[in-house]
């Protein structure tokens, strides 16, 4: 084992659950699906989710083909470097690190809100500031991040299993009771699919698949990566697409296609929980309230693990201090990168608390910025994959996967433009704040590219190692 190599023993299901936990399925159900119905293509939302799943699958074909040829950890950072060069690669590495760090911060804010709500509403406990509960989650996450990924994966598996059971129980209840006016398939009718704002529906839908590529970044920490990673990647995409499309379809049927838009317009915040209570009962409603927190915590833990591995890989390459790229001797975990990430998270959250930033605004702004940053990464990696597979002289061209990736690239470019134009809908940010957030994300990417130029001139040894080369 090299000095900059991690090790683990995750199997396919553990890897799938670790990555899907990053999406927070209950968070998506309770907060995201009603918003997608309201602002996207309304009753046609389930079809939009499935279409986005097809686009991500096309990208995954190329990603897995390229990953099998490179056989390197590093996720987007390594793939984009191999396809587009070290300058673009380091820019993407900075962007990926920022993207997942922003997701981590937003998850802490959501977790603090969710735990406080559960304590007050279900257990009639005292009100407490969100940052107190976020601090508690930070301590637990720091401890879990010190150990091997196999330990965290077991925790995530338990949490995610509970989430999926709740959503399956809800779906079955709605279908068994026939919804509000019988089970309809209006969601898949052309006039509904193309209703409302298709662009917003697609933009939101792509955000549902955030983290699917994380299967690649855990390459050194799974059993038999040549088989585990492809199985897990397709499994993640299929599970997310089917779960969210079916649950969205059941949610729409729970109120009826004719009434659901009126419901989400008047009662957006509690539309999902009210539907759970009506069809699955009070126990499921209470469970959903608790699982909003556990789902948030699972999201925190998964985001922390992914972000820590980007820190580790950048440290291993000498971009960040090399000490961050050294694994624990016993647990073979990125313990230094994980601890450094926790300290940085504490400091940044502290700035938000001292600045008296509202937790609701903090979550909304950062979640929107994450979605935008993720689309930037998808655009870069889809282009990188297509270019690499068409130019690969060692293994030969892979035209099919390359074309699939380039088709995804074209669609994602449109998505990125739409995301820029509709950034206010994504994040709630307007005016100067909107421009600052968009500028910050592009600025980080350009800063990474600029630093690569600096290294090329002044530290060619470090420059040559960019992208886990």
């Amino acid at each position: 084992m090299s000095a900059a190599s991690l090790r683990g023993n995750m199997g396919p299901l553990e890897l799938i659950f670790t990555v899907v936990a990053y999406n927070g399925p209950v968070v998506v159900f309770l907060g995201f699906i009603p918003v997608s119905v309201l602002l996207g293509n309304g009753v046609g939302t389930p079809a939009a989710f499935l279409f986005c799943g097809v686009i991500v699958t096309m990208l995954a074909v190329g990603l897995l083909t390229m990953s099998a040829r490179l056989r390197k950890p590093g996720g987007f950072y390594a793939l984009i470097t191999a396809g587009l060069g070290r300058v673009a690669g380091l820019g993407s590495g900075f962007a990926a690190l920022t993207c997942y760090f922003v997701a981590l911060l937003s998850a802490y804010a959501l977790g603090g809100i969710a735990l406080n709500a559960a304590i007050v509403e279900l257990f009639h406990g005292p009100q407490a500031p969100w940052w107190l509960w976020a601090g508690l989650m930070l301590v637990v996450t720091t401890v879990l991040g010190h150990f091997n990924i196999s330990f965290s994966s077991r925790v995530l598996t338990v949490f995610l299993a509970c989430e999926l059971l709740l959503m399956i129980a809800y779906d079955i209840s709605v279908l068994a009771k026939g919804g509000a006016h019988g089970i309809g398939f209006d969601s898949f009718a052309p006039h509904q699919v193309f209703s409302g704002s298709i662009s917003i529906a697609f933009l939101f839908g792509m955000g549902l698949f955030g983290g699917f590529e994380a299967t690649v970044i855990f390459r050194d920490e799974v059993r038999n990566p040549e088989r585990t990673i492809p199985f897990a990647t397709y499994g993640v995409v299929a599970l997310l697409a089917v779960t969210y499309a079916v649950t969205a379809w059941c949610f729409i049927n729970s109120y009826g296609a004719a009434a659901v838009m009126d419901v989400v317009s008047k009662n957006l915040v509690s539309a999902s929980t009210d539907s759970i209570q009506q069809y699955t009962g009070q126990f499921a409603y209470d469970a959903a309230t608790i699982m909003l927190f556990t789902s948030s915590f699972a999201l925190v833990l998964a985001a922390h693990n992914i972000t820590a591995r980007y820190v580790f890989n950048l440290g291993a390459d000498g971009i960040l201090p090399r000490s961050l790229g050294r694994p624990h001797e016993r647990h073979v975990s990125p313990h230094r990168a994980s601890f450094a990430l926790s300290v940085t998270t504490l400091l940044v959250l502290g700035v938000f608390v001292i600045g008296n930033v509202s937790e609701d605004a903090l979550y909304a702004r950062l979640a929107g910025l994450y979605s935008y940053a993720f689309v930037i990464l998808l655009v870069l990696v889809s282009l990188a994959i297509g270019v690499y597979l068409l130019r690969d002289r060692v293994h030969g061209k892979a035209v099919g996967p390359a074309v699939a990736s380039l088709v995804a690239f074209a669609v994602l470019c449109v998505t990125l433009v739409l995301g820029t134009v509709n950034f206010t809908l994504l994040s709630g940010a307007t005016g100067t704040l909107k421009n600052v957030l968009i500028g910050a994300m592009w600025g980080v990417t350009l800063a990474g590219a600029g630093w690569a130029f600096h290294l090329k001139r002044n530290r060619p040894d470090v420059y040559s190692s960019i992208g886990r080369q």
Side-chain angles (χ1 to χ4, degrees):
M1 182 186 67
S2 68
S5 177
L6 301 175
R7 188 175 66 222
N9 195 38
M10 288 193 293
L13 291 180
E14 289 174 304
L15 183 56
I16 288 174
F17 277 37
T18 295
V19 175
V20 172
Y22 175 76
N23 280 263
V26 166
V27 172
V28 170
F29 178 27
L30 300 185
F32 191 87
I33 287 178
V35 174
S36 297
V37 172
L38 177 64
L39 300 178
N41 61 332
V43 175
T45 296
F49 288 173
L50 290 175
F51 178 72
C52 290
V54 172
I55 297 300
V56 174
T57 300
M58 293 175 68
L59 178 57
V61 171
L63 182 145
L64 291 171
T65 302
M66 184 174 178
S67 176
R69 296 182 176 197
L70 289 178
R71 299 188 178 185
K72 296 176 182 177
F76 285 152
Y77 169 53
L79 295 172
I80 294 172
T81 299
L84 301 180
R86 291 177 174 83
V87 172
L90 189 54
S92 70
F94 278 33
L97 181 59
T98 304
C99 174
Y100 290 112
F101 182 60
V102 165
L104 177 61
L105 294 174
S106 68
Y108 272 115
L110 179 60
I113 296 170
L115 182 55
N116 186 63
I119 290 174
V120 173
E121 295 177 14
L122 296 184
F123 304 106
H124 309 292
Q127 285 274 5
W130 70 272
W131 51 262
L132 180 65
W133 306 122
L136 179 61
M137 288 191 292
L138 178 61
V139 171
V140 176
T141 301
T142 302
V143 172
L144 292 174
H146 179 80
F147 296 100
N148 189 273
I149 186 64
S150 297
F151 185 60
S152 293
S153 69
R154 296 187 187 100
V155 176
L156 292 172
T157 297
V158 172
F159 283 155
L160 183 62
C162 293
E163 293 183 54
L164 294 178
L165 284 174
L166 173 65
M167 295 174 72
I168 290 171
Y170 169 78
D171 293 344
I172 291 175
S173 296
V174 172
L175 294 174
K177 295 180 180 180
H181 308 291
I183 300 300
F185 293 88
D186 304 71
S187 294
F188 306 101
H191 71 281
Q192 294 288 8
V193 173
F194 295 99
S195 66
S197 176
I198 295 294
S199 60
I200 297 301
F202 189 73
L203 190 61
F204 283 166
M206 291 304 299
L208 292 177
F209 296 89
F212 81 96
E213 89 298 339
T215 54
V216 177
I217 203 170
F218 290 114
R219 181 177 185 85
D220 289 343
E221 300 171 86
V222 299
R223 298 191 302 268
N224 192 1
E226 284 72 24
R227 297 186 61 182
T228 297
I229 290 177
F231 181 88
T233 303
Y234 289 128
V236 165
V237 175
L239 181 60
L240 292 176
V242 173
T243 298
Y244 294 149
V246 170
T247 300
W249 176 57
C250 289
F251 171 74
I252 290 166
N253 273 284
S254 73
Y255 289 107
V260 69
M261 292 302 295
D262 186 57
V263 171
V264 295
S265 297
K266 295 179 179 178
N267 193 22
L268 181 64
V269 174
S270 61
S272 289
T273 52
D274 288 348
S275 182
I276 290 173
Q277 188 173 34
Q278 178 183 353
Y279 285 91
T280 323
Q282 185 64 38
F283 176 79
Y285 174 83
D286 293 341
T289 303
I290 295 172
M291 284 186 195
L292 181 58
F293 163 68
T294 60
S295 182
S296 301
F297 176 69
L299 200 163
V300 163
L301 184 55
H304 179 93
N305 285 336
I306 294 172
T307 309
R309 277 148 185 82
Y310 273 104
V311 174
F312 175 88
N313 283 297
L314 289 169
D317 285 349
I319 309 302
L320 297 178
R322 287 194 182 276
S323 60
L324 297 176
R326 295 174 186 159
H328 193 281
E329 291 184 3
R330 178 182 176 186
H331 303 300
V332 204
S333 63
H335 65 301
R336 293 181 179 180
S338 175
F339 184 75
L341 175 61
S342 291
V343 172
T344 305
T345 301
L346 177 63
L347 293 175
V348 175
L349 288 176
V351 170
F352 288 133
V353 172
I354 294 172
N356 199 30
V357 179
S358 162
E359 61 268 35
D360 294 324
L362 180 62
Y363 169 68
R365 305 296 186 271
L366 293 180
L369 182 59
Y370 158 72
S371 297
Y372 185 73
F374 182 65
V375 175
I376 292 176
L377 289 172
L378 290 182
V379 167
L380 290 173
V381 78
S382 58
L383 177 60
I385 292 170
V387 171
Y388 178 88
L389 294 179
L390 289 177
R391 296 192 314 187
D392 188 5
R393 297 178 180 177
V394 176
H395 304 91
K397 296 180 180 180
V399 177
V403 171
S405 296
L406 292 174
V407 170
F409 168 72
V411 175
L412 289 165
C413 282
V414 175
T415 305
L416 181 58
V417 172
L418 295 174
T420 305
V421 173
N422 297 286
F423 190 77
T424 296
L425 285 176
L426 271 179
S427 65
T430 58
T432 302
L433 179 59
K434 168 188 172 181
N435 295 329
V436 167
L437 291 176
I438 292 176
M441 196 60 241
W442 284 107
V444 166
T445 306
L446 293 175
W451 190 247
F453 278 118
H454 167 79
L455 293 173
K456 185 177 183 178
R457 294 185 62 181
N458 300 284
R459 294 289 305 278
D461 56 322
V462 176
Y463 178 80
S464 64
S465 68
I466 289 175
R468 303 310 307 268
Q469 298 298 308

